[in-house]
Amino acid sequence: MVLLYRVRLASFHRSRNDRQAEPYEPDVDAPSIESAARSIGLFPSKADDRSEAGLMSRGTTASGVDEEADNHTLTRMLQDPTGRLLYVGDSATLSYLQLIRMMVESVVGPSAFTVDPRRHRIMETTMTLPSNFRPTHLLPDRQTAQVLVNSYFVNTHGLLQVFDRKVFLDTLDTCYADPLKVDPSWLCLLNLVFAIGLVLATPALGSADAAVINKLRREPFDQSEIFYMNAKSLNDPIIGFEDAGFWSIQALLLIAVYMLTVSKRNTAFAYFGMAVRSAFALGLHREETLVIFTPEDQEVRRNLWRSLYVIDRFLSASLGRPTAISEDDCSGDTLNPTRTTPSSVSADFNQTNTLGLEASVRSCHFIGVILRKVYQKRKISTKLAQEIADQCKLWPKVLSPTLHWRQASATNSSQGIAILHVNLFYCHSIILLTRPFFLYLLNAEIQKSKLTSAQRKPKTGCKMEKFSEACVIASTHTIVLVQNAFEGRYLQQRNPFVTYFLFAAALVVLSNEFSGLYTNTSAEHCIESAITVIAYCGKTDPQASRLLYILTTFRNVVATQSRRNRGRQFPHNEGSMQSLFSQLAQNSQLTAPRSTHSPAVTFGPHPENVNPTTSEDQTTATESFVPIPLPYTRHDSFSGLLDLSSAALTGGSDDSSVPDVQIEFDTLWQWPTTTSTVGTPGFEAGVQGISDSTVPLFGTADMA
């Protein structure tokens, strides 16, 4: 009999008097989840606990009583294709996904969504080149090289600035004029740029660039992998890592980005850690080290460090792991972009990239604060959330007009991609901040749904609910931003950042629809848009293909649940949320005609049902791209949505009279599950000495 792993947390043994914040309790008198679970045998009974505790005491110095824990949180581990068990933390969307699965299963029972045979695996692709492949070191023709380099710079716009673009292009000309005189380390960087550029390439249909990219993609072997192998063969940055120079930091960062694009997140995490360590060794994090370099070199070093910072925050948030860069270790303006912004909405390529990187750094600063103060502590209070929100609302005020969502246009794909990257990072910072409140209220709403109409109490306005509302709004906004790029026909099919942010947002919108927590009249169109875009990405991206299955099965569960609830007369929480949606729709000053293939996503009543865009329809989208009107109130920014003193979020109640409340993350994981991991397809017993039935994978394994 293999025993269930348990984690005893000290926070559950502190008295209420020792807490600075009052824990939130839903307005419902219902049996505890633990009691319900014990009644149907999902958790051991009290007698079983005593028996199990006795067995545990034989192999430990702790007493049986000490081993019995009130909390049933389990270590969250996922298995990669090699059989390794990898940790995924609270901030990761995969953690949120498993929580939602447990909640959904407690309401509707097992479904294709909750018993997904691959739910215990993390998507990590493997190289497809044959084992006997030998690098050729051959450079592509000049036209192909130019197309791939341009694709790299355009598709990483506003996100990375590893090189000075002009210097890189000049060196490229020198390389093709006299390749024997080019340093192997630069050839390594060039091949990595080729690899990333090919994966991210989204050329206009029928263009000369499209012909080049399509030719490369029709080759029998993955050409991006060949470029990657050529790079490592020319000058592998891992070899001689202890003597790493500036170029090796660039190479390691590019490798990490490439691994992200080909769905190898854990590999990217490992390579990125090496890049950061090397950067520390060369002093990129200290402003005082720049004085010995020319102004041009100072700019390159500063931009490389900021690029590392952005990727660090993304990896940490998406995998739920500790950050590699601490802002306390940085000095001067290494991570402090200037607050001055141009008054004009026009900017050239280099200016847009610089402004975009600075805006991404600001968003990542908020993400870092949230990870450190919320997810590392594994608890959040409304007071802390408001303090962080007050910082977040400054972001739109210093955002360059060049990067405003209204400036997105199909005629300038590089600017559109920069706008997409910048705004998605900011929206996700809001989602990370507010999602714990949304989850907690979602929990309470699901418990209420099991009661009769007479037992249900009306919802009272409080800060927690307003943050929860902001989570749904930011998620909806994320979907609209991506749909904008999709209709503009410049959305990459294999952009790991966009895919991740879109998936996280779609899960929130679907969760809200499942529970009926808030009435979102745009939800149906947002869900279909998200699935359409993910399907488009899934044509070439195995990670997106996996996410498509998850979203589709969840959408089917939501649709079934909606049909069941049509005859029930439970009141929805329409108060502040519905009035907020209506207000946002009324205050939107921009009106744009609909695309002939996809509905504009708006808040408020939708006049008609329009079939969502299919992945094939993108090729026939209209030439004239008009940005979708987004639901903004104050200065067309999210600042009003997170300012609890604003009219947009005051639901008629006095927030000052509501006490500060606190959520501890461990309470969110106290969900029973009827799903056994025994016999899960695709798992092999004995991997690393551990079988599927004995590993606590996302809190579902408790069988012997």
Side-chain angles (χ1 to χ4, degrees):
M1 175 83 181
V2 180
L3 301 180
L4 173 67
Y5 295 150
R6 298 185 177 185
V7 179
R8 179 168 185 164
L9 301 175
S11 59
F12 275 81
H13 298 278
R14 296 197 303 263
S15 66
R16 290 179 179 266
N17 294 332
D18 293 335
R19 300 194 180 190
Q20 297 179 352
E22 176 184 340
Y24 181 81
E25 297 180 359
D27 299 327
V28 57
D29 296 327
S32 68
I33 298 172
E34 182 182 342
S35 299
R38 290 186 186 278
S39 67
I40 59 177
L42 293 180
F43 289 159
S45 65
K46 295 296 184 180
D48 293 337
D49 283 346
R50 288 191 295 269
S51 175
E52 182 176 302
L55 291 174
M56 294 178 68
S57 64
R58 298 175 187 174
T60 178
T61 57
S63 66
V65 176
D66 289 337
E67 290 294 337
E68 182 178 0
D70 295 330
N71 174 41
H72 294 271
T73 301
L74 300 180
T75 304
R76 286 153 302 203
M77 306 288 283
L78 290 178
Q79 191 178 47
D80 73 354
T82 67
R84 293 181 305 165
L85 296 174
L86 305 178
Y87 174 77
V88 178
D90 291 297
S91 65
T93 300
L94 289 177
S95 288
Y96 175 83
L97 171 64
Q98 184 56 24
L99 277 169
I100 292 302
R101 278 181 171 144
M102 291 190 290
M103 292 182 182
V104 168
E105 190 176 57
S106 72
V107 176
V108 300
S111 64
F113 173 64
T114 60
V115 296
D116 181 355
R118 291 187 291 173
R119 65 191 180 279
H120 303 315
R121 291 189 178 275
I122 187 170
M123 183 68 186
E124 293 281 321
T125 60
T126 56
M127 291 294 183
T128 60
L129 292 178
S131 58
N132 60 351
F133 172 79
R134 294 294 180 268
T136 61
H137 299 167
L138 296 177
L139 293 175
D141 62 83
R142 186 67 176 84
Q143 180 188 6
T144 300
Q146 191 65 51
V147 169
L148 294 176
V149 170
N150 288 341
S151 172
Y152 164 81
F153 281 107
V154 167
N155 290 295
T156 59
H157 213 51
L159 182 68
L160 297 175
Q161 206 163 350
V162 181
F163 312 102
D164 181 287
R165 181 169 175 265
K166 183 180 182 304
V167 172
F168 189 90
L169 293 178
D170 290 342
T171 309
L172 180 65
D173 292 336
T174 302
C175 173
Y176 275 84
D178 193 354
L180 295 179
K181 293 185 178 180
V182 179
D183 192 294
S185 61
W186 192 87
L187 289 175
C188 169
L189 297 174
L190 177 62
N191 276 274
L192 290 173
V193 168
F194 286 161
I196 297 172
L198 179 57
V199 174
L200 297 180
T202 311
L205 293 173
S207 64
D209 289 0
V212 171
I213 296 300
N214 291 336
K215 179 182 177 181
L216 290 172
R217 289 176 175 170
R218 284 194 299 265
E219 294 292 334
F221 298 119
D222 189 335
Q223 292 299 303
S224 70
E225 288 188 19
I226 292 178
F227 288 134
Y228 168 73
M229 295 302 295
N230 284 341
K232 296 199 69 176
S233 177
L234 283 164
N235 202 351
D236 192 344
I238 303 300
I239 299 176
F241 174 69
E242 63 275 9
D243 300 321
F246 186 78
W247 79 270
S248 64
I249 302 173
Q250 295 173 308
L252 289 167
L253 175 57
L254 292 175
I255 292 176
V257 173
Y258 173 72
M259 291 302 168
L260 280 174
T261 62
V262 296
S263 304
K264 293 176 69 67
R265 287 167 291 183
N266 199 67
T267 306
F269 184 77
Y271 276 109
F272 178 79
M274 299 174 68
V276 172
R277 289 295 185 184
S278 297
F280 281 139
L282 298 189
L284 265 63
H285 61 301
R286 306 297 297 182
E287 181 76 15
E288 56 269 23
T289 64
L290 297 177
V291 296
I292 62 176
F293 298 97
T294 64
E296 293 78 13
D297 288 341
Q298 290 182 20
E299 190 69 16
V300 172
R301 293 171 71 89
R302 186 179 291 109
N303 288 333
L304 178 60
W305 179 248
R306 292 175 179 177
S307 299
L308 288 167
Y309 179 75
V310 171
I311 301 301
D312 176 49
R313 293 309 188 254
F314 174 77
L315 284 172
S316 296
S318 61
L319 293 175
R321 298 175 186 173
T323 57
I325 298 175
S326 171
E327 294 185 25
D328 294 337
D329 295 329
C330 305
S331 66
D333 295 330
T334 53
L335 291 179
N336 294 319
T338 175
R339 289 182 174 270
T340 59
T341 57
S343 57
S344 173
V345 297
S346 61
D348 61 26
F349 188 97
N350 292 331
Q351 288 176 327
T352 305
N353 196 21
T354 300
L355 293 171
L357 181 59
E358 291 180 351
S360 296
V361 168
R362 293 190 187 98
S363 295
C364 288
H365 166 72
F366 302 139
I367 291 175
V369 171
I370 295 167
L371 292 176
R372 184 176 72 256
K373 294 187 176 182
V374 177
Y375 289 91
Q376 181 180 340
K377 305 293 185 182
R378 306 197 74 246
K379 60 184 178 181
I380 186 173
S381 66
T382 52
K383 179 180 179 181
L384 173 61
Q386 185 60 58
E387 292 174 355
I388 299 176
D390 290 339
Q391 300 178 40
C392 290
K393 68 181 181 181
L394 300 177
W395 185 88
K397 297 180 180 179
V398 295
L399 180 66
S400 168
T402 305
L403 299 173
H404 193 281
W405 67 267
R406 295 180 191 271
Q407 304 305 319
S409 171
T411 60
N412 190 343
S413 59
S414 62
Q415 182 181 7
I417 290 173
I419 290 172
L420 181 64
H421 286 151
V422 165
N423 285 274
L424 286 182
F425 265 98
Y426 178 62
C427 286
H428 194 67
S429 68
I430 298 175
I431 293 174
L432 279 178
L433 175 64
T434 57
R435 195 167 60 188
F437 298 110
F438 174 75
L439 267 173
Y440 203 91
L441 293 180
L442 186 67
N443 178 352
E445 186 66 21
I446 289 177
Q447 296 305 308
K448 288 182 181 181
S449 67
K450 300 177 182 179
L451 305 179
T452 64
S453 179
Q455 290 176 308
R456 291 167 63 91
K457 298 180 181 180
K459 240 179 150 39
T460 59
C462 69
K463 292 183 179 181
M464 181 180 290
E465 290 164 5
K466 298 181 193 298
F467 284 118
S468 177
E469 293 168 355
C471 183
V472 179
I473 295 171
S475 298
T476 304
H477 183 68
T478 295
I479 297 174
V480 175
L481 283 168
V482 178
Q483 178 70 12
N484 241 4
F486 178 70
E487 292 188 348
R489 296 187 297 174
Y490 57 83
L491 179 66
Q492 311 97 319
Q493 285 187 297
R494 297 192 70 167
N495 187 320
F497 306 95
V498 174
T499 303
Y500 179 82
F501 293 146
L502 177 61
F503 179 62
L507 283 181
V508 171
V509 175
L510 280 164
S511 303
N512 180 64
E513 289 306 293
F514 175 81
S515 65
L517 188 59
Y518 304 110
T519 300
N520 182 355
T521 56
S522 296
E524 181 180 351
H525 297 289
C526 285
I527 292 168
E528 293 304 320
S529 295
I531 291 177
T532 296
V533 173
I534 291 293
Y536 158 74
C537 296
K539 287 185 172 182
T540 59
D541 185 359
Q543 176 70 28
S545 178
R546 169 71 180 130
L547 301 183
L548 175 64
Y549 175 83
I550 296 172
L551 292 180
T552 302
T553 54
F554 194 9
R555 189 263 313 270
N556 294 340
V557 171
V558 170
T560 301
Q561 183 70 0
S562 298
R563 288 193 295 269
R564 292 175 180 173
N565 291 337
R566 283 173 184 170
R568 304 172 70 183
Q569 301 300 319
F570 290 167
H572 288 283
N573 302 322
E574 298 183 359
S576 58
M577 193 68 170
Q578 183 61 30
S579 63
L580 177 57
F581 285 162
S582 301
Q583 178 183 355
L584 294 173
Q586 294 171 3
N587 291 346
S588 180
Q589 300 298 320
L590 176 64
T591 57
R594 291 174 187 265
S595 164
T596 58
H597 298 281
S598 180
V601 181
T602 57
F603 288 84
H606 214 284
E608 59 201 11
N609 287 328
V610 183
N611 291 331
T613 307
T614 62
S615 56
E616 291 80 14
D617 285 339
Q618 193 190 26
T619 60
T620 59
T622 56
E623 291 293 334
S624 176
F625 168 64
V626 182
I628 297 176
L630 300 182
Y632 284 152
T633 52
R634 294 183 174 181
H635 309 292
D636 298 320
S637 72
F638 261 103
S639 58
L641 300 180
L642 286 182
D643 184 358
L644 297 187
S645 64
S646 68
L649 281 183
T650 50
S653 62
D654 184 8
D655 288 332
S656 61
S657 63
V658 180
D660 180 36
V661 292
Q662 177 173 284
I663 297 174
E664 296 197 15
F665 284 16
D666 299 291
T667 62
L668 301 176
W669 284 94
Q670 292 187 19
W671 278 89
T673 175
T674 59
T675 304
S676 170
T677 58
V678 178
T680 301
F683 269 76
E684 298 180 1
V687 175
Q688 293 185 348
I690 305 176
S691 67
D692 176 45
S693 61
T694 62
V695 179
L697 302 174
F698 273 104
T700 60
D702 60 351
M703 298 293 182

